[in-house]
Amino acid sequence: MAGRDVSWTRSDRGWSQGERAKTAAKLMVGWVALLWLLEVVDVITGHSLDGLGITPRTPSELVDIVPASFIHFGFAHLAANTVPLLVLGFVAALGGLRRFAAVAALIIVADGLGVWLISPAHTNTAGASGLIFGLFGFLVISGFVERRPLGIMAGILIAAVWGSSVLVGIAPTNTTVSWQGHLVGLVSGVAAAFLFRRRSASGSPERAIR
């Protein structure tokens, strides 16, 4: 697969690990806070935001492929997604905010289009789980793609913690969730690991442990 090599700039290298961690943490706390705020608004307005979910193969629903990732069907649904999104998003954002934005955007758009194309008719799909599965795939694979020992160890640890849940989430026999959205999200995340693989400023693979 042809990939897009993402080079580190001098400003990227100038950031300390502490600065990267603080920025990544602020980003993900703000992201999750927005999701909770939207769910509060949804409840107050009689679930008016639920209509931003994706109904498959309806042309007018294409405008909802991005908003659907920010909408949830109740606080229990949102609570189930909160911790994995915080953790996986934080780890992914440690690699740089611009890279994280590109990866997240690819996953969200590809996942939304996948749901629109292959989900069962007359369903309404929303939630951040497609992004979560995508970040899982990205983090598990990217260390191997970039040959970074620390990235490989992080991917193995993430696979050990969430791997069984991911397998259950993409099983076609699991009719309680959108396994189609989970599967497309996972594949999109793996693709993002190749498309946005990290390169050093000299153009050679970045192998330093960070």
Side-chain angles (χ1 to χ4, degrees), residues 83-93 100 132 135-136 139 158 162:
V83 172
L85 180 59
L86 271 174
V87 175
L88 298 179
F90 170 76
V91 176
F100 173 78
I132 291 168
L135 291 174
F136 172 89
L139 291 170
I158 289 169
W162 278 291

Side-chain angles (χ1 to χ4, degrees), residues 90-107:
F90 170 76
V91 176
L94 286 175
L97 296 188
R98 287 183 297 176
R99 185 192 193 207
F100 173 78
V103 169
L106 172 64
I107 294 169

Side-chain angles (χ1 to χ4, degrees), residues 52-191:
L52 295 176
I54 301 170
T55 300
R57 294 170 296 283
T58 301
S60 62
E61 291 292 302
L62 287 171
V63 298
D64 292 333
I65 61 174
V66 172
S69 292
F70 296 85
I71 304 302
H72 291 78
F73 300 135
F75 289 110
H77 182 200
L78 176 54
N81 284 337
T82 293
V83 172
L85 180 59
L86 271 174
V87 175
L88 298 179
F90 170 76
V91 176
L94 286 175
L97 296 188
R98 287 183 297 176
R99 185 192 193 207
F100 173 78
V103 169
L106 172 64
I107 294 169
I108 289 172
V109 172
D111 184 61
L113 287 172
V115 167
W116 187 84
L117 284 169
I118 68 174
S119 286
H122 311 299
T123 57
N124 185 23
T125 303
S129 57
L131 174 59
I132 291 168
F133 276 64
L135 291 174
F136 172 89
F138 171 77
L139 291 170
V140 169
I141 294 298
S142 61
F144 293 94
V145 172
E146 298 166 5
R147 301 177 184 178
R148 291 182 298 111
L150 187 57
I152 292 172
M153 289 187 290
I156 292 173
L157 178 59
I158 289 169
V161 174
W162 278 291
S164 59
S165 297
V166 167
L167 290 176
V168 171
I170 63 175
T173 54
N174 189 350
T175 58
T176 62
V177 297
S178 174
W179 66 266
Q180 297 91 345
H182 293 170
L183 180 59
V184 175
L186 180 64
V187 172
S188 301
V190 172

Side-chain angles (χ1 to χ4, degrees), residues 16-35:
S16 69
Q17 288 290 354
E19 289 171 332
R20 287 182 184 277
K22 288 179 182 178
T23 303
K26 289 178 181 178
L27 171 65
M28 294 316 302
V29 168
W31 191 311
V32 170
L34 173 62
L35 299 187

